[in-house]
Amino acid sequence: MYVYQDYDQRLLEERVAQYRDQTRRYLAGQLSEDEFLALRLQNGLYIQRYAPMMRISVPYGMLNSTQVRKLASITRDYDKGFCHVSTRQNIQLNWPELADTPDILAELASVQMHAIQTSGNCIRNITTDEYAGVNPREIEDPRPWCEVIRQWATFNPEFAYLPRKFKIAVNAVPDADPALIGVHDIGVQIVHDHNGETGFQVWAGGGLGRTPMTGEVIGEFVAWPDLLAYLEAILRVYNKYGNRDNKYKARIKILVKALGADKFRELAEAEFAELKGGAMTLTRDEVARIKACFVDPDYRTDVDTSALRNALDEHRAFNRWYHTNTRAHKKDGYRSVTLTLKKTGRIPGDITDEQLEDVADLADRYAFSEVRTTHQQNMVLADVAEDELYELWRQLDALGFATPNLGLITDIVSCPGGDLCALANAKSVPIAEGIQRQFDDLDFVHDLGPLDVNISGCMNACGHHHIGHIGILGVDKKGKEFYQITLGGRGDRQSRIGEKMGPSFESHEVTSVIGKIISVYLDNRLENEPFISTYERIGMDPFKEVVYG
Amino acid sequence: MAKVIVNGEIVENTWQRLTSEELDQQDVPAEGAVIVPLAYWLAHRDALLERAAPVGVCLEPGEEPADLAADLPALPLVAVNFPAFKDGRGYSYARELRTRYGFEGEVRAVGDVLQDQLFYMHRVGFNAFEVRADRDIEEALNGLRPFSVTYQGDAHDERPIYRRQSA
Ligand code: HEM
Ligand code: SF4
């Protein structure tokens, strides 16, 4: 993980002091609602349906066990004993008191955490592959580059009052998009030139929400020393020319679309030409300093896998979990373990204070004290020795974190929806629960194979419904809750926006519609063909016929 | 007379800012320092340069600092208007004026200028602030220095922190 220097820590403490004073002035009536709004948002504080919601930053999803324990105590002391993992790898509290928020930030600062720029019209948390650094398919570790970008973005004085929020993601896997760069305002794809030097293919103009779209390649190859100059050029063009009259047209995707990728590129390249070679050019020393924070832990070389083989043969449930919830690691003898936070009946991504402490203990014992959050609202122990997997599984199972459904139909990604969110058109959690209850036979769920189901309570798309193989969107029809269904979205190999099926459904109809969609898949699939491939082969019509027929 | 923060001090505001509506009704007064809109400046540059008293130009969001680039050596002041503090275009304008065009005169923030934005405004190159009239300008001064640490370079020092530290 990135290790703070004195100055990183001082910056956090000064931020807490600044925010404490702003909150005091607001409560004393010296700041208007609107003025305080912009300030509190940049400290992660939304005012929600029932209480403020506080979004805590988890830079590119990395936490250590000390931080996880701090989150547990904050959740217990300032909230109702649970928090929520968001689709941008952050942690959300749902019920903090406004007057407590400076103290919460001070507690976070004591473990090198914060809520800086987690909402508001500024550059948000930088996200990446949750298996970064251990993924055998990545060409290099993306996290040092995420950290380079994080520092440039943090309190960047020019880009704090953008037309709209701005999200950047970094991906280092060549043939897959685990960071969803295609649907980010800027997506950074790490590439190597023929000499093996790192460079970046820079995308811009992707985004979900209203008017979802995938981005365009703006910079074909940006040499690594120029990364920040290139990003600054894009941000300056956006800050100057992005739409500010209508918040629904204010994201960079609308600007890129309106100008066309070529014109946008021309503006960005002209700006880049001014900045290139200047003081923000990255140095080898600085990149080396940051890379040194992401070195491998002390991997054991004596991992004995014979016991694992036996356990896999003997325990069917363990075997199933192993194949579903753990994955290959770059280091022989190790695997990455995903804890699914998707127990039926619980809000997807929710976790309690005690569970956080359990996870921290397990991380200390089995995973070099490190925990990660994922954009599918799960958690990861990235480095677990194979000869400890069985023991870990037993403990996870007892804690309810071993549901073997990663990437399957019941591993649903969902926003909090109408139960918590003031912007919602409809509830999303009961819909998720309904689907989980309908598909409660694990054998059947496994037989269905990989299937992304994503639910959002309104078109803000917090639940990423556009990129679900099956996407469910809450809509409001004359004051009643309805759900629109899309098929064929993807957020795996590439990002693609799903296609609407047709008229929307009432809440009690949703589970049976999902059942019909699944039956069409089962009737049509070829051997070993996953849902998304069947859909791509046969198209929307057969599904429509059965669902609306 | 109204007050303004210039270079960290509260001083009398000696500049009169004229809007295009006002300039439709009246000419630029013969005496005193004035700030005029960009369009007015471009249309009346030669006459304005004849004046004995100083003339500055005000940029509105949507206008281009580039349109003023050639005239900057002749200008003692450029103002940037913030009709609403959340409209952040002016931050890029100030940065361009300082870093790209090397403007060394006064860069003044006018309009919805508030304590909690002063630090960032200062970093991108503003050195003068007409704090909104209903706010306490003494209090606002506190907004100039909330942080002793900055990661990235700015209009004052383009070097990021790691280059400043090792220097
Ligand atoms: C509970 C109150 C919440 C509120 C009021 C809220 C508000 C919003 C709004 C207004 C947008 C749309 C912005 C736009 O289109 O430009 C948005 C987008 C988003 N939110 Fe939330 N949100 C909430 C909770 C969450 C949660 C719990 C998550 C994670 C599960 C989340 C993740 C996201 C993501 C990933 C997007 C971006 C989609 C995109 O790329 O456009 N939000 N949110
Ligand atoms: S998608 Fe809509 S309902 Fe769901 S959390 Fe976001 S804003 Fe709220």
Side-chain angles (χ1 to χ4, degrees):
Chain A
M1 279 185 53
Y2 180 65
V3 180
Y4 273 28
Q5 312 259 343
D6 290 351
Y7 59 73
D8 300 283
Q9 186 65 32
R10 190 146 33 98
L11 188 67
L12 277 200
E13 284 161 13
E14 289 172 350
R15 175 61 153 194
V16 175
Q18 180 198 41
Y19 177 69
R20 199 179 285 285
D21 180 59
Q22 288 165 343
T23 308
R24 180 190 58 76
R25 283 186 283 129
Y26 167 69
L27 292 172
Q30 293 165 17
L31 279 176
S32 72
E33 271 311 323
D34 203 40
E35 289 159 16
F36 185 58
L37 173 86
L39 305 174
R40 67 171 162 75
L41 285 177
Q42 304 221 0
N43 285 292
L45 197 68
Y46 274 95
I47 304 289
Q48 264 318 294
R49 179 159 278 184
Y50 302 109
M53 172 195 94
M54 184 160 213
R55 187 178 290 151
I56 298 166
S57 183
V58 182
Y60 34 94
M62 297 286 297
L63 292 163
N64 61 38
S65 56
T66 308
Q67 294 173 326
V68 175
R69 287 197 184 90
K70 178 59 80 177
L71 290 172
S73 73
I74 289 175
T75 298
R76 183 156 51 231
D77 297 344
Y78 298 96
D79 205 317
K80 297 188 176 177
F82 64 93
C83 63
H84 181 79
V85 176
S86 86
T87 48
R88 294 202 75 256
Q89 299 184 292
N90 290 321
I91 298 279
Q92 291 185 179
L93 300 177
N94 290 303
W95 317 92
E97 294 288 337
L98 173 65
D100 286 338
T101 51
D103 293 336
I104 298 176
L105 292 184
E107 297 244 12
L108 289 171
S110 73
V111 293
Q112 310 194 337
M113 291 188 78
H114 55 78
I116 293 165
Q117 292 170 205
T118 53
S119 47
N121 296 333
C122 51
I123 305 173
R124 304 286 191 86
N125 188 28
I126 316 298
T127 55
T128 191
D129 180 8
E130 55 259 29
Y131 305 108
V134 299
N135 188 335
R137 291 159 70 198
E138 71 190 13
I139 61 170
E140 66 178 80
D141 187 347
R143 293 170 303 171
W145 301 110
C146 293
E147 179 59 27
V148 164
I149 298 170
R150 184 192 74 83
Q151 295 194 12
W152 161 80
T154 299
F155 302 146
N156 189 310
E158 189 177 339
F159 307 126
Y161 295 96
L162 295 169
R164 202 72 180 81
K165 62 181 176 179
F166 204 92
K167 302 174 182 181
I168 302 177
V170 182
N171 178 28
V173 180
D175 53 353
D177 185 11
L180 305 179
I181 63 167
V183 289
H184 274 75
D185 296 283
I186 288 183
V188 176
Q189 176 73 43
I190 302 181
V191 290
H192 287 167
D193 71 9
H194 50 273
N195 298 319
E197 277 284 333
T198 298
F200 306 96
Q201 187 186 58
V202 179
W203 296 52
L208 299 175
R210 213 175 287 244
T211 343
M213 55 185 96
T214 51
E216 304 266 2
V217 175
I218 300 299
E220 193 53 64
F221 184 88
V222 177
W224 67 264
D226 297 329
L227 173 64
L228 297 183
Y230 205 87
L231 297 184
E232 180 138 322
I234 292 179
L235 262 296
R236 189 169 292 161
V237 170
Y238 172 56
N239 190 38
K240 285 178 70 176
Y241 305 115
N243 185 317
R244 289 175 188 268
D245 300 328
N246 178 347
K247 79 177 228 186
Y248 299 122
K249 298 197 155 75
R251 296 279 295 272
I252 193 176
K253 60 193 173 185
I254 308 288
L255 179 66
V256 172
K257 181 127 187 139
L259 293 173
D262 290 338
K263 177 70 187 166
F264 184 88
R265 182 178 305 111
E266 191 183 310
L267 292 174
E269 294 277 346
E271 199 62 54
F272 175 58
E274 295 280 341
L275 296 167
K276 188 173 156 59
M280 63 194 312
T281 306
L282 287 164
T283 62
R284 258 182 218 284
D285 283 353
E286 174 64 0
V287 174
R289 175 183 81 87
I290 291 183
K291 281 190 173 169
C293 298
F294 297 92
V295 290
D296 283 350
D298 254 331
Y299 289 125
R300 282 169 42 217
T301 49
D302 62 346
V303 179
D304 171 13
T305 54
S306 54
L308 171 68
R309 301 292 146 219
N310 288 341
L312 286 172
D313 287 343
E314 281 164 28
H315 296 269
R316 180 148 181 270
F318 172 64
N319 188 304
R320 173 168 270 167
W321 173 82
Y322 174 89
H323 288 288
T324 312
N325 287 28
T326 78
R327 51 180 269 151
H329 194 286
K330 67 174 186 191
K331 179 83 187 160
D332 279 347
Y334 279 81
R335 288 188 74 86
S336 299
V337 172
T338 303
L339 285 53
T340 49
L341 309 184
K342 306 290 172 67
K343 222 176 159 56
T344 299
R346 223 166 51 185
I347 297 180
D350 270 9
I351 182 164
T352 68
D353 55 339
E354 285 167 6
Q355 289 175 322
L356 284 166
E357 281 162 352
D358 292 334
V359 171
D361 291 345
L362 294 175
D364 282 342
R365 185 133 170 230
Y366 298 105
F368 301 99
S369 301
E370 183 203 279
V371 180
R372 301 169 180 212
T373 49
T374 84
H375 76 269
Q376 287 99 346
Q377 305 177 299
N378 293 320
M379 284 188 167
V380 166
L381 301 176
D383 307 278
V384 181
E386 290 188 339
D387 56 3
E388 297 188 309
L389 277 174
Y390 180 71
E391 204 181 299
L392 173 61
W393 171 72
R394 298 270 304 245
Q395 301 193 39
L396 289 175
D397 197 38
L399 295 169
F401 285 135
T403 313
N405 65 346
L406 183 67
L408 304 180
I409 190 168
T410 51
D411 181 18
I412 294 172
V413 172
S414 169
C415 79
D419 293 305
L420 286 175
C421 174
L423 304 174
N425 287 325
K427 294 198 176 64
S428 41
V429 178
I431 299 293
E433 187 178 339
I435 296 170
Q436 287 168 330
R437 290 201 188 286
Q438 182 182 10
F439 295 94
D440 62 352
D441 176 349
L442 262 179
D443 291 327
F444 184 60
V445 165
H446 275 258
D447 178 56
L448 287 178
L451 224 171
D452 294 344
V453 177
N454 293 58
I455 310 177
S456 304
C458 77
M459 69 289 236
N460 287 321
C462 300
H464 288 173
H465 64 277
H466 303 108
I467 55 170
H469 301 157
I470 299 177
I472 303 176
L473 164 67
V475 292
D476 174 283
K477 270 199 199 165
K478 303 198 181 94
K480 272 188 91 175
E481 299 189 348
F482 274 75
Y483 296 86
Q484 187 171 75
I485 297 194
T486 50
L487 296 181
R490 282 186 91 142
D492 41 18
R493 200 150 306 149
Q494 78 241 50
S495 293
R496 206 180 43 230
I497 308 298
E499 197 186 336
K500 282 179 200 148
M501 281 196 90
S504 52
F505 304 96
E506 287 191 56
S507 51
H508 66 85
E509 297 172 305
V510 175
T511 41
S512 87
V513 170
I514 302 297
K516 287 179 187 165
I517 292 169
I518 293 303
S519 72
V520 175
Y521 161 60
L522 291 175
D523 291 346
N524 286 277
R525 71 172 168 186
L526 306 177
E527 206 182 326
N528 290 328
E529 190 181 45
F531 176 88
I532 188 67
S533 308
T534 303
Y535 174 81
E536 287 172 0
R537 184 170 53 78
I538 67 177
M540 177 67 90
D541 289 343
F543 291 93
K544 263 179 143 158
E545 273 163 33
V546 171
V547 168
Y548 294 102
Chain B
M1 198 178 258
K3 304 278 188 191
V4 59
I5 297 173
V6 181
N7 297 328
E9 310 273 340
I10 298 172
V11 298
E12 300 286 322
N13 184 6
T14 56
W15 292 82
Q16 182 190 4
R17 183 157 60 97
L18 299 162
T19 62
S20 40
E21 293 77 40
E22 286 165 337
L23 288 166
D24 286 343
Q25 308 293 322
Q26 61 174 90
D27 285 337
V28 170
E31 309 272 299
V34 294
I35 302 172
V36 299
L38 175 67
Y40 192 88
W41 165 261
L42 294 175
H44 303 89
R45 176 174 20 214
D46 294 343
L48 289 166
L49 283 170
E50 300 273 298
R51 274 179 104 241
V55 179
V57 176
C58 183
L59 289 174
E60 296 291 328
E63 295 179 341
E64 283 291 343
D67 292 341
L68 208 51
D71 298 334
L72 288 173
L75 291 171
L77 176 149
V78 176
V80 177
N81 188 27
F82 289 83
F85 76 89
K86 283 191 262 187
D87 185 335
R89 282 176 279 191
Y91 292 84
S92 288
Y93 300 166
R95 187 72 205 267
E96 282 184 32
L97 288 169
R98 292 292 190 210
T99 305
R100 175 166 317 167
Y101 302 118
F103 181 61
E104 290 178 355
E106 180 172 320
V107 180
R108 174 178 290 209
V110 303
D112 198 11
V113 177
L114 303 168
Q115 170 175 345
D116 294 290
Q117 283 76 44
L118 293 195
F119 181 67
Y120 285 172
M121 286 182 168
H122 179 252
R123 288 193 63 203
V124 296
F126 289 100
N127 68 323
F129 309 91
E130 285 184 21
V131 175
R132 211 172 76 193
D134 62 334
R135 293 304 160 92
D136 183 343
I137 195 167
E138 300 274 350
E139 277 263 335
L141 260 187
N142 294 325
L144 274 177
R145 294 244 158 263
F147 294 102
S148 64
V149 181
T150 55
Y151 279 129
Q152 53 304 90
D154 58 25
H156 303 271
D157 186 341
E158 288 190 70
R159 294 172 306 166
I161 190 162
Y162 61 87
R163 285 190 166 175
R164 279 176 264 146
Q165 298 255 319
S166 52

